[in-house]
Structure formats: structure tokens, C-alpha cells
Amino acid sequence: MRSGFLKLICIVICYGAICSADTISQVSDTTVPVAEMATDSSYEGKGPAVDSSNAVLSPQDPPRSTLQISTEPSGAAVIVNDSVRGLSPLTMSDLDTGTHQLIIKKKGYYLKKAEFRVDSADTYNLQFILQQPGGLTVLSEPPGAVLTIAGKKVGITPYVDSVVRPGEYSVLAELENFEQTISSVEVRSAVSDTLKIELKPTAAYRDKQNAAQMKQLKKQKRMTLFFVTGIFALFSIILGLVENAEK
């Protein structure tokens, strides 16, 4: 009787173990796969889902160009599109295609402005020679001529200007009774240049001068004749007095 009861208990225990194993197997079959967890944006700690099969690549940045700027002398401020980029020599590697405004400036030198266009991603080199003011002195013979430089009246000769932008200038000199004279002069950076102008009298003034000279010459001849005649008369009087004294 007792042995039969023990057999019954063993049978019950074995049946319970078999049922438990089957339940555990069913629970494990319903677990969320790892791959599915990885693509679940609500999964804590995993961040946004990334589905490689439907990934969309973001567009790349447009190609940029490189600009190398050098100046003589160096140390000039470089301004591109109203933005100060640094001092020359300077290399910039972030230029987009299109038109750009460039300003180069340095104390004591004339400012440089330029516009350049970038058509493709490439390296561009720009070189600038900065210029300082030059000096100009204008002399004329005879003096007193009215000067017009580059279309603007500036004064009379002798004329001196110590601050002139380098370049080639047309100089017009005018003086009454003299022909207009147009000269060309090149003013160089940091150099003082002198222009000498020889004015030629007009034909009418030459005729007037010749007439005046002839008149003066005739007057001088008359004066000479009068002087000679006076001397001769005086000599005759003296000679007569001497002859009378001898008698």
C-alpha cells in the first residue's frame, strides 16, 4: 500500500516537470528577435532605427575652390565679399563657385579692388602690386602757364604736387600769346618726377614781337644818329673855339 502511494507521487512530480518545460519553451519562442529590437525606435538605449535596406544618403557639400593671394609688399588686409579673411600672403579653401568681390588694402598704399569669378573647383592664384603716392613738379618757360592735368585745372607753373596716384597723365599748359602745349607724364610709385614744358609763341605774337623789335631797332638807330650828330657838332664847336683862340 505504501509503495503504491510513493509511485503515485513520483508520477505526479514527473508530469509537473514535463508541463513546466513545455511552458518555458513556449515563452522563449515569443521573445522579440535581436534584429527587430535594433530597428525599433522605441527601444530604450538603442536610438533611432537604421534600416540599411532603405537608407538614403545625404547630399555631399558642393565642391570648394582654393584661392591663393599674394601682394607686394606683403601684410595687406584681404577682404572677400565684405568679410576680412586675413593678411597676405593668404590661402582660402572655402570659396563657392560664382562671382566674388575682393578688396586689398594696406596703410600708406592705394586700395585695390577686383572682381573675380570661380567657375569650377580649382586652385586660383592672384597677385597684386600695391602702389604708393608719387610726386609731380611741372615747370614751364616762360612761367605762369595755367595747367590742366587729367582734365582738371590744378594751378599755374611752377606747380608741385607731392601726392599723385601712379599712372600716366595728360598735361595741358596754356599761356596768353603762346600756343597750347599738351604733354604726357608718367608718375611712378614713391617717386617724384619733373616735367619741363617749353612754350612756343603764337604766330600773331611773333609778328607783334618782331614789329616791336623793329620799332625798337629804329629808335635805337635814331638815337645813335642823334648822338653821333651831337658829338660831331660838339667837336666842330670845340675846334672852332680853338682856331679863334689861336688868332
Side-chain angles (χ1 to χ4, degrees), residues 124-146:
Y124 298 83
N125 294 287
L126 295 179
Q127 297 179 343
F128 297 92
I129 297 178
L130 304 181
Q131 295 181 323
Q132 292 178 288
L136 177 62
T137 299
V138 181
L139 306 175
S140 71
E141 182 55 43
V146 178

Side-chain angles (χ1 to χ4, degrees), residues 155-183:
I156 62 175
T157 57
Y159 172 78
V160 178
D161 190 349
S162 59
V163 182
V164 182
R165 191 182 187 95
E168 189 169 346
Y169 293 89
S170 175
V171 180
L172 171 64
E174 298 174 291
L175 183 62
E176 187 178 3
N177 298 322
F178 288 83
E179 296 178 359
Q180 291 184 349
T181 301
I182 300 177
S183 305

Side-chain angles (χ1 to χ4, degrees), residues 107-234:
K107 186 176 181 180
Y109 293 81
Y110 284 101
L111 178 144
K112 287 275 190 180
K113 286 186 177 181
E115 182 179 277
F116 64 95
R117 180 174 180 80
V118 176
D119 294 321
S120 60
D122 203 347
T123 299
Y124 298 83
N125 294 287
L126 295 179
Q127 297 179 343
F128 297 92
I129 297 178
L130 304 181
Q131 295 181 323
Q132 292 178 288
L136 177 62
T137 299
V138 181
L139 306 175
S140 71
E141 182 55 43
V146 178
L147 293 180
T148 301
I149 299 178
K152 181 181 178 181
K153 288 188 176 181
V154 296
I156 62 175
T157 57
Y159 172 78
V160 178
D161 190 349
S162 59
V163 182
V164 182
R165 191 182 187 95
E168 189 169 346
Y169 293 89
S170 175
V171 180
L172 171 64
E174 298 174 291
L175 183 62
E176 187 178 3
N177 298 322
F178 288 83
E179 296 178 359
Q180 291 184 349
T181 301
I182 300 177
S183 305
S184 179
V185 62
E186 182 179 2
V187 178
R188 295 167 292 173
S189 176
V191 176
S192 294
D193 292 289
T194 299
L195 173 65
K196 296 181 179 180
I197 301 174
E198 190 75 26
L199 298 175
K200 296 181 179 180
T202 61
Y205 185 62
R206 284 197 302 268
D207 293 341
K208 185 178 178 180
Q209 281 186 317
N210 291 336
Q213 289 176 355
M214 291 297 295
K215 184 178 180 180
Q216 183 67 22
L217 182 60
K218 289 179 180 180
K219 183 178 179 180
Q220 288 178 351
K221 286 183 177 180
R222 288 195 300 267
M223 292 295 295
T224 302
L225 181 60
F226 177 78
F227 180 75
V228 171
T229 302
I231 294 295
F232 183 76
L234 180 61

Side-chain angles (χ1 to χ4, degrees), residues 11-24:
I11 292 172
V12 172
I13 292 173
C14 290
Y15 180 76
I18 293 173
C19 291
S20 298
D22 185 57
T23 302
I24 293 173

